[in-house]
Amino acid sequence: MSCSDLFARNLRSILQQFGISSVQLAKAVGVDPSLVSRWRRCGCSGRNGTAYALAVAAYLADKNRSPENAAWLAARLRDVPLPPTAPDTARLALWLYPDADVDALLGGEDEYPNLLVVNSFRDAAVLPGRRTLPPNGGMAGAEQTVSAGIGQTEILTALRGELERAPVECLLSIHLSSEAAAIVTCRPWVQLLHEAVQTRGLRLRMLVQSANNSAASSKLVSAYMQLLVAGSLELCIIQGTPQTFATTVHVLIPGVSALTVSEAPLKDARPVMTLVRDPEMVSGLLDNFERSLRFARPMMTAYDDSFARNIIETFFEEYGVPGSLDVIKCGLNPMFMSVERYREVLRAFGHEGEQYRWRHLEFARFKSAMAQVLQDSRFREVLSLQKLREVARTGQCKMPAMYFMDTGVWHLNAADCVNILDGYIEALERVPNFHVILLEDEALFMPNSCWHIKSNRHIMIHSWNTDRPMMVYSDQMMLIDEFQKHFDHLWSKVNLGGSSKRAAIETLRQIRTQCAESGLRQAAQ
């Protein structure tokens, strides 16, 4: 059996064992689904075989495995002819494709395997296809300002290195010539950006020249949703760009480098990269990015909690204006607090006189309008059961003070939480259009955050993971549709035959009792 046939056979067996579809694999490694179908039928060969095997192995090696799948895979990798110290990705790639280039799998001797490093494009022209470094050293050499690479593996390796060189908390600028750029939505690329945000505090902004490709736009938003809702990514769009025959992606790191990836859309050709460290070129590209940004429209706007009026009016549009509202919340919603208790909380946190008066009057206006809207509009809420249990156990709930038209983070006590839980229970019993589902799966919630999706109007995301809460807001239909699809999929998955309302009421009553008991214990101490 040829190695190409082995690739096809082994790929089919592992996808079947892991329950992975061709579409899922294509999305993960950033290729067209038709190419994965071709792999399954005919395999692949030559240099492409090594690159594709590595890309597939990188995805599968990072995938969660059941004990059964882990044992199945270990049995097949046991006899792979690689040193015991070889990484799992290399072993899996060689099992998939026994003709793979072992030096490429093991990374070779260089920090960036298979990467052509040159001093100038003149040198690149006389060194076509050369894989070794010029005599004057590797990527760290000060003189070496231009590099080139081909294939997703080389590009991802280079991106990782550049992100590690980026200054802590710097602003990373990413430009897409089209929303159809494939590499930016592949899982390893997105994961590298997530890691850079988490470990180095990088902030991202992405400028997309859009040709109104709704499928590609949806895929892009879906890939970066977590960074968007956390306020770590600013997404801006320039509309009306004609579809191009090629797509380019620029990653600009101030004072460090500019990485450019070129792709041929809908073709099997591997992407090609250039990496520039010339300070003048990096600075010039950043200047041009800023100029282009002036013609763009932000898809989401981030506000800190000092923008009280923006927040108040958005809250009122959600709860006081007819229209369906969907909420995913890691915590409790103070809108179900009674007006009397809301006044007590304002006083407890030091509001007096006019500051107290306008706040409780605004809340009373919200509550009155909400009661009317609930008669005609559908409200659905998904709450974290794990968070509610924590509230019951501790007798307190952390939430942004913007709910009380103030700044910072407040901790409500047990009596406050009991009052809110009573409001939930009363609304569930009395209002046919209000529904709540309590979920165990904490992975579905961002800690100390919530999403509000007002049907065909806006999305609003609150995050209070720090002492400075923020609100992310968008009225762009592309984003609203994407979030609505996500919510509808989640709701249909967990809403079992209409029993959720009865189950939610019973569970909320139990949590309410436990929370009240916690309050009594704290008062007795």
Side-chain angles (χ1 to χ4, degrees), residues 48-93:
N48 283 350
T50 299
Y52 289 144
L54 266 174
V56 173
Y59 165 61
L60 293 172
D62 193 38
K63 192 169 182 61
N64 291 332
R65 305 172 194 163
S66 66
E68 177 189 353
N69 285 343
W72 181 91
L73 191 58
R76 280 146 185 82
L77 301 186
R78 189 176 298 124
D79 298 325
V80 171
L82 284 177
T85 56
D88 285 348
T89 301
R91 303 180 73 82
L92 181 52

Side-chain angles (χ1 to χ4, degrees), residues 4 7-16 20-44 52-53 55-57 59-60 96 152 219 266-268:
S4 182
F7 185 102
R9 186 196 68 181
N10 292 344
L11 181 64
R12 288 195 301 269
S13 65
I14 199 169
L15 294 185
Q16 181 179 2
I20 300 169
S21 69
S22 296
V23 173
Q24 286 174 305
L25 180 62
K27 182 176 181 181
V29 301
V31 300
D32 193 82
S34 64
L35 179 57
V36 177
S37 298
R38 194 179 313 154
W39 292 345
R40 297 181 69 155
R41 292 193 314 272
C42 313
C44 59
Y52 289 144
V56 173
Y59 165 61
L60 293 172
L96 280 167
Q152 188 179 100
K219 184 176 181 180
L266 305 179
K267 295 296 181 182
D268 296 346

Side-chain angles (χ1 to χ4, degrees), residues 99-414:
D99 246 6
D101 183 337
V102 173
D103 288 339
L105 296 183
L106 297 179
E109 299 177 355
D110 307 320
E111 179 183 3
Y112 296 120
N114 307 323
L115 198 63
L116 174 63
V117 182
V118 296
N119 288 330
S120 69
F121 284 110
R122 178 177 58 83
D123 293 331
V126 299
L127 295 171
R130 183 172 174 178
R131 291 178 52 197
T132 56
L133 297 175
N136 60 328
M139 291 289 288
E143 304 85 2
Q144 300 191 336
T145 60
V146 180
S147 311
I150 187 169
Q152 188 179 100
T153 302
E154 291 94 330
I155 293 169
L156 292 171
T157 304
L159 177 63
R160 179 184 294 278
E162 296 310 293
L163 292 175
E164 289 173 352
R165 299 178 70 243
V168 174
E169 297 184 352
C170 83
L171 179 60
L172 193 75
S173 301
I174 304 174
H175 176 270
L176 275 60
S177 68
S178 167
E179 65 269 73
I183 197 166
V184 295
T185 58
C186 77
R187 186 168 179 267
W189 177 288
V190 177
Q191 185 60 37
L192 285 176
L193 294 180
H194 271 275
E195 291 172 2
V197 169
Q198 293 166 1
T199 60
R200 303 187 62 78
L202 301 191
R203 295 169 294 121
L204 312 178
R205 56 181 180 174
M206 183 180 291
L207 175 60
V208 182
Q209 294 180 222
S210 173
N212 296 316
N213 182 333
S214 58
S217 297
S218 177
K219 184 176 181 180
L220 183 67
V221 170
S222 179
Y224 289 91
M225 185 177 289
Q226 188 172 352
L227 288 172
L228 285 166
V229 301
S232 302
L233 170 65
E234 177 187 351
L235 178 62
C236 296
I237 302 289
I238 298 177
Q239 294 281 9
T241 304
Q243 185 64 54
T244 60
F245 72 96
T247 63
T248 57
V249 178
H250 299 277
V251 180
L252 310 177
I253 306 176
V256 176
S257 61
L259 185 151
T260 301
V261 180
S262 300
E263 298 173 307
L266 305 179
K267 295 296 181 182
D268 296 346
R270 289 176 297 160
V272 174
M273 175 203 76
T274 56
L275 176 60
V276 178
R277 290 201 180 130
D278 178 71
E280 291 186 7
M281 174 61 79
V282 174
S283 176
L285 289 173
L286 279 168
D287 287 346
N288 286 337
F289 185 96
E290 296 290 350
R291 292 190 187 97
S292 297
L293 201 60
R294 293 194 302 232
F295 298 96
R297 182 179 74 249
M299 296 298 289
M300 305 184 84
T301 305
Y303 300 102
D304 64 31
D305 54 6
S306 63
F307 285 79
R309 180 51 54 185
N310 301 72
I311 293 169
I312 290 169
E313 291 309 315
T314 302
F315 273 143
F316 187 78
E317 184 176 346
E318 288 183 343
Y319 292 100
V321 174
S324 298
L325 177 68
D326 293 326
V327 176
I328 302 176
K329 182 176 287 289
C330 182
L332 289 171
N333 189 342
M335 287 304 301
F336 292 96
M337 181 178 281
S338 68
V339 173
E340 294 73 23
R341 190 74 202 179
Y342 191 90
R343 291 172 180 169
E344 293 178 23
V345 172
L346 290 175
R347 291 194 181 100
F349 282 89
H351 286 297
E352 299 176 347
E354 183 59 27
Q355 293 299 314
Y356 160 77
R357 181 176 179 277
W358 77 259
R359 283 179 169 84
H360 86 71
L361 288 176
E362 283 286 346
F363 184 73
R365 177 171 72 99
F366 288 2
K367 289 286 288 187
S368 176
M370 177 178 165
Q372 182 60 44
V373 171
L374 275 171
Q375 301 303 314
D376 306 312
S377 302
R378 181 200 65 202
F379 278 25
R380 300 183 296 183
E381 203 159 319
V382 178
L383 297 177
S384 166
L385 189 52
Q386 182 173 324
K387 187 66 175 182
L388 293 181
R389 287 175 178 149
E390 179 186 322
V391 170
R393 185 180 69 255
T394 61
Q396 63 172 271
C397 183
K398 174 184 177 183
M399 64 178 56
M402 64 178 70
Y403 280 115
F404 298 90
M405 305 161 211
D406 205 342
T407 59
V409 174
W410 286 5
H411 290 82
L412 301 188
N413 63 28

